[in-house]
Structure formats: C-alpha cells, structure tokens
Amino acid sequence: MSETKYILAIDQGTTSSRAIIFDHAGQIVSTGQMEHEQIFPRAGWVEHDPEEVWTNVREVVASALSRASLNRHNIAAVGITNQRETTVVWNKETGKPVYNAIVWQDTRTQKIVEELAQGDNDRYKDKVGLPLATYFCGPKVKWILDNVEGARADAEAGKLLMGTMDTWVLWNMTGGVDGGVHVTDVTNASRTMLMDLKTLQWDEEIAKDMTIPMSMLPEIKSSAEVYGKGRAQGMLMDIPIAGILGDQQAATFGQACFEVGMAKNTYGTGCFMLMNTGEEIVPSKNGLLTTVCYKIGENKPIYALEGSIAVAGSLVQWLRDNLKMFDSAPEIERLAASVEDNGGAYFVPAFSGLFAPYWRSDARGALVGLTRYVNRGHIARAVLESTAYQTREVLDAMEADSGVQLAELKVDGGMTANETLMQFQADQVGVPVVRPKVAETTALGAAYAAGIAVGFWQGEQDVIDNWDEDKRWEPDMDSDERERLYRQWKKAVTKTFDWVDDDVK
C-alpha cells in the first residue's frame, strides 16, 4: 500500500456522528464531528431523525477530509461503527423513513415485550443470547408497523426496509434508492433478537412472532468484507465500504481483546463491558448478554459476554442540562474532588429501567442516603461513582459466567479522561484499569476491520502491534471500605425496583 493511503471510519453514535481518518500506525490524522438532536416526545421515548443523521454523516466526512487536505483517492477503505439497537424503518422506493429512529434507550415497547414474553423474558435467549427487553430492535420494528399509518400494508407489500444505523448509513452511502446495498454485519444483527447465534441467520419463527416480514431484513455479512462502493454523487465515490461493527464490538476489536478472557469497558452515553469468549457461545446465568464479538471475513465467528449499563455519561449530561449544576461536562470532576467522599449519597440512574445484570424495566432513577450534610460536590461524586459500581456489578457477573478472573480492565471512551472516576473504578474492581493512547477505540476498531478486508492491514497482529498503553490506575482502597461502599450501593439499587405501575408512565 502506498504511504498516502488512509482508512476512514464513520462512527454514528448516540449523541453525535464522527468521521475519523487513521494512518497505518492506527493514529488519528483528522476528525469531523456533529451532534444531532435528541428527541423526547414523551417520558421514556427517545428518537433521532435519520435524515438529520445522514446529512451529518456527509458533513463530518467532508470535514475530516478537508482538515487533512485529503480526497477520496487517499482513502483505501471505509469502516462503519454505530449505536447498535437504534432502529430505522424506511421506504426503499422513496428513501424516506416512515418514522423517526427509535433509540436503544427508548422504553415504549414494554407492553409488546410483555406480550411476547408470555411470562418468560428468556423465551428466545437460547437462540439469540438476549432476554426480551425494550433495549433490542425487534419490538421497535413491530411498534412502528403497529402504530404508523400505512406502515404494515407497505411492509407486507415489500416496500419497507429495516435496519440499525450502520444499515441506514451504508444503504445511503452506496446509492440509496439508486442501488443502495441493504446489509448489516453479524454484530449488529446479534442485537435485534432476530438472529440465531449459531447459524448467524435470521430466525423466521421469531420474526413471525414479532410480525416482521422477512423482506424487511438486511442481508447478514461478516464484520470485514467489501459490502459495496461509495455512490457516484458522493465524496467517497467508488471507495470500498469494507467494515461494520456495532460500537461496543468495534471498541473490543480496537482494544486488541483477541484472547479468551480479555475484556474492555467503554464509558460513553451508557457503559458497556465485553469479554471475549472465543469460538464458544457462553450462555449467561447472571444477567449478561451473549453476543457476536466479531467475524473477520471467512474466519469463524468470535463470541462475547456483554454487560450493558444504560446510563453513564448521559447522567453527567443530565446534571449539566436538566439540573444546570455546571456548564460543561468536564467540570464534574472539579466538583466531585471538592469533597472527600460521597457523604452517604448514592445515585442509581435507572432512567430507562435497569439493564445488566438486573433487567428491571420497572425501575426508575433514585438519589438515596440524603442528609442535610449532602451538597453539590457529594451529588457530583455519587454520579461518577454510580458508573464504577455498575461496572463492578457487570464484572462480577462476567467472572461468574466465564469462570475467568480478570487480570486488568482495558478502558476507553470519553469518561476515561476523568481521573477521579478511573481511580475509583480501579478501587472498586480491584484490578488495574488501563487506558490506551488512542482513546477513540470504537472508530479505530471499525477502521481496522475495513483495512483488514482490503489488505491495508494484515490482520489481528497489526492491531496488537499498534496498541499502546497511555495510563494505568492501580487499586488503592482498603478492602473493608471497598466492600462497605459496594454493600450500600447494592442497597440503593433495591430502592429503584417496582416503581412503574400500570398507571405510571
């Protein structure tokens, strides 16, 4: 490969879309980023405008290219990574969405989930690795078909397509109504509740239960192969789009977690820990998800256990935007550092119910342990600590399911810049917490998948060689104090249960 070639990754996230250009050493050359609107039509409903997202994707690609004084001829391939369970349904003849994208955090499908469960939330778990929950795509598609006028008739007539955001972006990038490729990869497909983990194919019975016509579903491909080329009218005309990984799987790949038992935690809008379980599908007995980690070309699929935490960075945003406690998210660290401890306060951010390891959609957020002593600093500290406690709960479940004791925890995502949180995280999990030099591991993982597909990189060894440690936090807390804090946290979590009644939204 010529030295002038680079890989471009599109990271279509929950709050923003980014384009990042990487060189052969896995270093960032340039970035473009734009936030999109978070739409909250009712309590518990969260939406994005898919057309706004697609417009932003084009702008951030242009921005990244222009900032580096590059054009499409310098790009060897494009990788896509995305917020995973967020679901779009659109008309393939007009290219228009029939409704806004329903975001992974959205809880409107609770009644559909209960009807499908028939009293057993694990009804499909043996096949798909997931419990029935509002988090996943299948029930979201059913809601759109049931509630948008004319949608079901158009779906039955074969006019509608569905997909996660990778599929929507890829379809538009490869031409849209003019020959757009309707494809997803195994990692995103494994989050729909519609894919059999063993066969890596759509399960017709489950799709029928959810009243989703098979004609709507994209073709499932590996995470690293050429799916199509950039459309003639676009800035990436004829450039191969060759990698797709859901954001958390992409981060796992970018963190070089290729050996069984290696794990990473990403601190973003939510918090997501994945542990590589190799070619073995490990069913969870402790409230985790079994998911596809990645599949490179013709190689066998690699699986993972995942713990999903719904609210992490978004809790900091909530303090900033809803409570106006500070003007910018990084200020929370200064506020938290103004006190020695949490003052007895615990914040359980069950805004969308509780995800792993509880899966309690009836839970809602709670701030407990309050006395007159508690001030803004204690609340800021309780907010940061909540992410560390939730991560520990997931790690405990992971070690129980896998039988593997973690030696260290690789971390990435925006909140890893927060030294107070990272130290407290090490104190709570009791193993070193390690941050890489390139913290944008999600985009990097998608870049690696695309680059491997076109021969820009040779394979996993190049990823390992490029990975470099930036900082390490060692546990430094008395074990009695560590366990006391965690015991109080567990008690706080129980205060969020059973909040939602039939007449409470």
Side-chain angles (χ1 to χ4, degrees):
M1 277 288 174
S2 135
E3 288 174 341
T4 58
K5 291 284 188 179
Y6 303 91
I7 301 289
L8 186 145
I10 293 166
D11 180 355
Q12 202 300 293
T14 307
T15 55
S16 69
S17 300
R18 288 183 293 185
I20 304 182
I21 296 172
F22 293 95
D23 65 16
H24 197 269
Q27 299 297 307
I28 294 173
V29 176
S30 72
T31 303
Q33 178 167 359
M34 285 185 78
E35 290 195 2
H36 53 262
E37 185 186 358
Q38 305 296 312
I39 302 163
F40 305 107
R42 297 187 199 173
W45 292 29
V46 191
E47 298 175 2
H48 296 155
D49 176 352
E51 294 190 278
E52 180 194 6
V53 169
W54 168 230
T55 298
N56 288 2
V57 165
R58 283 175 286 174
E59 293 214 14
V60 297
V61 167
S63 174
L65 287 169
S66 64
R67 283 177 184 176
S69 299
L70 299 173
N71 62 35
R72 67 186 177 90
H73 299 293
N74 301 110
I75 304 301
V78 177
I80 298 173
T81 182
N82 57 294
Q83 46 163 330
R84 294 171 302 179
E85 297 78 8
T86 297
T87 306
V88 195
V89 173
W90 71 96
N91 187 308
K92 68 181 182 185
E93 294 172 2
T94 65
K96 297 286 183 188
V98 302
Y99 189 80
N100 277 338
I102 301 182
V103 179
W104 56 273
Q105 302 149 310
D106 189 287
T107 58
R108 79 184 68 186
T109 56
Q110 184 55 36
K111 282 203 162 45
I112 291 172
V113 163
E114 287 165 9
E115 285 163 14
L116 287 165
Q118 300 172 357
D120 178 15
N121 278 352
D122 288 343
R123 182 180 170 194
Y124 303 123
K125 198 170 181 185
D126 285 348
K127 272 188 183 174
V128 303
L130 312 172
L132 267 158
T134 58
Y135 183 24
F136 306 110
C137 307
K140 299 186 201 307
V141 177
K142 177 172 166 53
W143 188 92
I144 290 172
L145 297 184
D146 288 348
N147 289 278
V148 175
E149 193 176 343
R152 183 158 298 284
D154 281 350
E156 305 280 354
K159 293 180 184 176
L160 301 190
L161 302 177
M162 67 75 71
T164 38
M165 296 306 281
D166 58 303
T167 302
W168 168 247
V169 170
L170 176 70
W171 187 79
N172 281 293
M173 284 185 75
T174 52
V177 294
D178 187 18
V181 174
H182 189 222
V183 159
T184 192
D185 90 302
V186 287
T187 66
N188 281 291
S190 75
R191 316 299 292 193
T192 59
M193 297 210 75
L194 299 167
M195 187 189 83
D196 186 312
L197 282 178
K198 294 185 186 75
T199 64
L200 305 183
Q201 297 299 318
W202 299 121
D203 187 288
E204 291 197 35
E205 282 180 29
I206 299 176
K208 190 177 175 187
D209 287 349
M210 296 192 189
T211 65
I212 299 169
M214 295 294 287
S215 59
M216 293 180 73
L217 303 178
E219 187 180 353
I220 301 172
K221 301 262 197 178
S222 81
S223 311
E225 62 181 273
V226 177
Y227 313 109
K229 295 194 171 176
R231 65 202 173 104
Q233 314 92 309
M235 280 162 296
L236 296 167
M237 182 175 87
D238 289 337
I239 303 305
I241 301 159
I244 298 176
L245 286 157
D247 53 9
Q248 302 313 319
Q249 286 92 336
T252 309
F253 201 81
Q255 283 271 38
C257 292
F258 300 134
E259 291 178 32
V260 174
M262 291 180 86
K264 69 87 208 175
N265 198 29
T266 297
Y267 299 78
T269 304
C271 217
F272 303 88
M273 189 187 295
L274 267 75
M275 178 184 276
N276 184 325
T277 63
E279 293 174 13
E280 184 185 359
I281 298 172
V282 178
S284 176
K285 297 180 177 65
N286 294 283
L288 302 179
L289 310 176
T290 304
T291 197
V292 180
C293 195
Y294 56 88
K295 182 182 187 302
I296 301 304
E298 297 296 316
N299 296 350
K300 286 184 176 177
I302 300 298
Y303 295 93
L305 281 167
E306 174 175 336
S308 311
I309 297 163
V311 177
S314 54
L315 182 56
V316 178
Q317 289 176 324
W318 183 81
L319 279 197
R320 181 193 67 191
D321 300 340
N322 292 40
L323 300 192
K324 312 290 185 197
M325 274 180 65
F326 38 77
D327 294 326
S328 69
E331 289 176 51
I332 192 171
E333 183 164 17
R334 184 177 49 76
L335 200 53
S338 69
V339 292
E340 286 185 10
D341 55 34
N342 62 18
Y346 291 81
F347 202 139
V348 187
F351 294 164
S352 306
L354 288 167
F355 282 18
Y358 299 99
W359 298 106
R360 295 286 297 253
S361 54
D362 61 356
R364 285 297 177 268
L367 178 55
V368 300
L370 298 184
T371 61
R372 285 285 300 272
Y373 172 68
V374 172
N375 63 29
R376 289 167 67 223
H378 296 117
I379 291 172
R381 196 168 187 97
V383 162
L384 294 181
E385 289 182 357
S386 74
T387 293
Y389 292 130
Q390 291 179 98
T391 297
R392 178 172 171 188
E393 288 186 304
V394 166
L395 181 57
D396 286 353
M398 220 163 249
E399 291 185 337
D401 274 338
S402 67
V404 176
Q405 293 294 116
L406 204 65
E408 63 180 27
L409 181 62
K410 288 184 170 183
V411 298
D412 54 72
M415 292 179 87
T416 61
N418 190 311
E419 302 265 344
T420 305
L421 170 60
M422 290 298 101
Q423 183 57 55
F424 190 77
Q425 185 68 83
D427 290 340
Q428 275 299 313
V429 295
V431 296
V433 165
V434 185
R435 181 178 69 198
K437 280 204 170 140
V438 177
E440 298 291 353
T441 54
T442 300
L444 184 56
Y448 279 138
I452 288 168
V454 299
F456 184 82
W457 287 294
Q458 294 312 302
E460 281 97 323
Q461 191 55 49
D462 282 347
V463 182
I464 294 165
D465 292 345
N466 282 349
W467 190 92
D468 206 3
E469 182 177 314
D470 175 48
K471 180 144 188 191
R472 176 179 290 259
W473 290 267
E474 298 283 348
D476 184 30
M477 183 181 278
D478 174 74
S479 61
D480 287 349
E481 177 65 0
R482 171 180 181 250
E483 295 311 319
R484 183 187 73 78
L485 290 169
Y486 192 48
R487 185 187 77 236
Q488 292 286 104
W489 163 261
K490 288 285 208 184
K491 190 191 290 186
V493 172
T494 65
K495 307 302 178 192
T496 70
F497 296 166
D498 298 316
W499 184 260
V500 178
D501 298 326
D502 286 343
D503 59 349
V504 175
K505 288 287 180 266

